[in-house]
Amino acid sequence: MAALIEAINVKRKMLFEHENAPYYCMESDVSTPTARGGQTLVRLKMRNLITNAVFEKSFKAGDKFKEPDVELVPATFLYSDGDGFHFLDQETFETFALTDAMVGDATDFLLENLEVQLTKYNGNPIGLQLPIFVDLEVTETEPGLSGASQSGSVTKVATLQTGLEIRVPLFIKEGEKVKVSTETRDFAGRA
């Protein structure tokens, strides 16, 4: 049987199950009453791991949540087609298809053979986690200026091989590979 977590013990970045769905705690705020006999309330900002919906809800401090059966497994992106995005589970060598909604804006980083972490809930894939950085090729950008310094303070727009547009320093040319942060979607250096 899964362990129970009291609402007052739910902290930022924790996973818990509420109304038969897995949630990720984005923020936790405990409000203790000043009057005697008042109840301590816990306000949670939480994201549903299946629908990605974010909302805030208050719970009594003693409310209990189950620990969700969520696991991260290494997987490789294979391809996308009309049925969705196909991944190969690196542990079981099964292939899984995720829908557009499950993948979300991660499509801007998906390249063939990219290694990701597949999020499974009760054994079924519900989403994915990208690596912190992804190397992508610049397919379109203005020509670099001769003598442009490598300080990177002045930038220009570059279109990457997945269609993602980011700002890069002036010295970056078409055909070069750049390192992009999957969290901030910013240029992080040459690859």
Side-chain angles (χ1 to χ4, degrees):
M1 184 173 149
L4 293 178
I5 308 164
E6 285 194 356
I8 198 154
N9 294 326
V10 174
K11 303 291 180 231
R12 191 170 172 266
K13 295 187 176 182
M14 278 181 73
L15 298 176
F16 61 96
E17 192 170 301
H18 174 62
E19 296 175 346
N20 298 318
Y23 284 88
Y24 172 82
C25 177
M26 300 169 77
E27 289 176 25
S28 174
D29 183 40
V30 178
S31 57
T32 310
T34 52
R36 288 182 59 170
Q39 281 194 334
T40 300
L41 295 177
V42 180
R43 184 159 191 79
L44 299 178
K45 183 174 183 180
M46 49 204 233
R47 179 171 49 91
N48 184 313
L49 292 178
I50 297 173
T51 65
N52 281 327
V54 175
F55 56 94
E56 291 186 21
K57 190 167 182 174
S58 291
F59 298 95
K60 294 176 188 166
D63 287 351
K64 294 185 182 349
F65 303 112
K66 285 199 298 189
E67 212 172 278
D69 179 16
V70 173
E71 64 177 331
L72 292 174
V73 295
T76 305
F77 175 63
L78 299 173
Y79 62 93
S80 65
D81 61 14
D83 295 331
F85 296 84
H86 299 268
F87 295 86
L88 176 69
D89 184 321
Q90 292 296 312
E91 292 177 346
T92 63
F93 300 107
E94 289 179 77
T95 57
F96 293 100
L98 297 182
T99 64
D100 289 351
M102 290 175 174
V103 174
D105 58 7
T107 56
D108 291 336
F109 299 100
L110 290 179
L111 290 175
E112 230 175 79
N113 297 321
L114 178 70
E115 290 188 17
V116 298
Q117 295 285 317
L118 215 57
T119 307
K120 288 184 173 183
Y121 174 62
N122 292 335
N124 299 315
I126 60 169
L128 62 102
Q129 284 187 3
L130 293 167
I132 296 170
F133 298 104
V134 174
D135 296 341
L136 297 171
E137 186 178 321
V138 175
T139 57
E140 194 180 312
T141 191
E142 297 171 19
L145 298 174
S146 60
S149 70
Q150 296 220 357
S151 70
S153 57
V154 181
T155 60
K156 61 183 178 179
V157 175
T159 304
L160 307 179
Q161 69 193 94
T162 60
L164 177 65
E165 287 187 354
I166 64 166
R167 300 211 57 93
V168 297
L170 294 177
F171 59 84
I172 298 294
K173 301 179 198 83
E174 285 184 16
E176 276 191 77
K177 283 202 173 236
V178 293
K179 189 180 293 286
V180 182
S181 164
T182 56
E183 199 172 285
T184 63
R185 299 173 165 260
D186 290 331
F187 172 81
R190 283 182 162 146

